[in-house]
Amino acid sequence: MYSKIIGTGSYLPQKILTNKDIEAVVDTTDDWIVSRSGIKQRHIAADSEMTSDLAEKASRSAIERSGLTCEDIDLIIVATTTPDMVFPSTACILQSKLDISECPAFDVQAVCSGFVYALNIADLFIKSGQAKNALIVGAEVYSRILNWNDRTTCVLFGDGAGAVVVSGAERPGILKTSLHAKGTLSKHLCVPGWVNRGEVSGSPLLQMDGGVVFKFAVKVFEETANELLDATGKKIEDLDWFIPHQANIRIMESTAKKLKLPLNKLVATVDHHGNTSAASIPLALDEAVRDGRVKQGDLILVAGVGGGFTWGGALLEF
Ligand code: UT7
């Protein structure tokens, strides 16, 4: 038994915040943001929209595209760093919104690698026979954990959700996965706050040492790609698409260059989505499926890296 993605979906909040709009908020310029990150705009959730609302819309779309119905889903995993509340999990809230009864539902907290962590878990559930049709969602409202006075971070992130349905299949599907973490680097990218006796202790806003994250991301994207290709006997030339976590176009292009991967095989949505953390890979995948770039049978490498630090990837036949 193997697992395979059989449907993708996504949702972006209606409000678009351009770099020009951000120029009115902090001391920055469109030129700086585009040249340093490739980002031109990002979507921002309405005050009334929670992570589970974004997740619900992306999920309904993925389930519809898979040809299944909500009743067929027997596992829900939500990758998010911005859950609706401390508990219950956003996955349980999503299960209720989708009116799915009693299947296991839980969140995965691996920041920008959350989607690849969740995909790996779903793959194992399906291969072991514990689930048949898993709904995997990456959903975030980063606009709520940004310090809008800190120009080094607030210009980089956006809100959105992407979802996939992963089902049992006779042919792979997901060929190989890899996951890693290095907790000693956690201080370089974190939201160091917690709820303590009814108050927030520490800071509830994102802090990042961008330079450290940048260098680490390029290093581990290359390592992850080589690890997955070596393990499956595939070559870089065999890849149809590389869909990395969308943090910064310079990170993605540097990685492609190191791997000797032509840039036309890189799916990049960071220019119009910004960095949507756990949502960025399924958002980019869904866009490439809908615009016809990704086709049945394509060999795709997805890779994530983020706070923790966490990183990993999956090599899959679509
Ligand atoms: O999902 C994973 C999480 N995040 C990432 O992957 C982000 C990884 N890192 C990056 O994307 C890049 O490091 C950044 C885009 C964050 C920064 O790019 P950089 O080329 O490393 O710039 P820098 O931090 O070296 O800053 C250069 C200058 C500094 O001024 P001085 O000290 O040279 O005078 C900053 O103060 O740019 C200044 N600066 C800005 N200027 C205008 C920093 N942010 C801004 C800004 N607008 N928004």
Side-chain angles (χ1 to χ4, degrees), residues 209-275:
D209 184 344
V212 172
V213 181
F214 191 106
K215 285 191 205 101
F216 190 82
V218 175
K219 176 177 157 320
V220 299
F221 272 158
E222 185 190 11
E223 284 172 7
T224 301
N226 287 329
E227 181 187 354
L228 291 169
L229 291 169
D230 289 351
T232 50
K234 303 277 184 194
K235 302 253 171 309
I236 199 79
E237 308 81 75
D238 298 328
L239 277 185
D240 292 298
W241 301 105
F242 176 41
I243 310 184
H245 165 51
Q246 308 282 311
N248 182 322
I249 195 66
R250 288 159 56 216
I251 294 176
M252 293 187 260
E253 291 186 351
S254 303
T255 305
K257 206 169 150 191
K258 282 183 160 212
L259 291 170
K260 300 195 171 44
L261 179 88
L263 285 184
N264 61 4
K265 291 189 171 186
L266 173 71
V267 175
T269 54
V270 70
D271 60 326
H272 50 291
H273 294 170
N275 178 346

Side-chain angles (χ1 to χ4, degrees), residues 28 32 36 112 151-152 189 208 210 213 245 247-248 250 275:
T28 192
W32 190 94
R36 299 297 171 120
C112 305
R151 67 176 184 170
T152 67
L189 176 54
M208 179 173 71
V213 181
H245 165 51
N248 182 322
R250 288 159 56 216
N275 178 346

